[in-house]
Amino acid sequence: MTPSHPPADRPGATAGPEAAVSELAPAPTLTIDALGRKCPIPIIMLAERIREVPVGQVVAVLADDPAAETDVPAWCMLKSQEFITSVDLPRDGWAFLVRRSY
């Protein structure tokens, strides 16, 4: 059986942030690209868009600002949303996975 796409470690592979997220955690319903944005923009983007997904679904926030490592989990606690995990992106940054609780 041949893979439908090349593995990320092979030359010419084109695995993007979504591939890194889907291999290690639940597939997000919505991906918010906050790469290159500084604090507090990733949190503002998450707060504005989390209502776009149904309760129980997952949002991925892509961010490379180091402040997001503490800001996203803290926002989840304050807003009673479930912080699932963070996944290192292939280049720089992280994908923060949040499950909508209400």
Side-chain angles (χ1 to χ4, degrees):
M1 176 182 273
T2 58
S4 60
H5 54 68
D9 58 349
R10 286 187 32 204
T14 57
E18 292 81 11
V21 172
S22 65
E23 291 175 13
L24 302 172
T29 301
L30 172 67
T31 299
I32 299 170
D33 186 352
L35 294 168
R37 308 282 183 105
K38 299 296 180 196
C39 177
I41 300 303
I43 295 301
I44 292 170
M45 293 173 76
L46 174 60
E48 289 176 344
R49 300 201 54 205
I50 196 165
R51 291 180 301 277
E52 294 177 22
V53 302
V55 171
Q57 296 301 306
V58 175
V59 175
V61 180
L62 308 181
D64 52 6
D65 180 7
E69 286 186 285
T70 55
D71 288 352
V72 174
W75 181 88
C76 289
M77 286 185 62
L78 288 171
K79 298 299 181 179
S80 300
Q81 303 295 345
E82 180 186 352
F83 178 74
I84 299 171
T85 191
S86 65
V87 178
D88 290 342
L89 295 178
R91 293 190 176 132
D92 288 331
W94 308 269
F96 300 97
L97 301 179
V98 176
R99 186 180 318 275
R100 183 176 176 198
S101 297
Y102 62 91

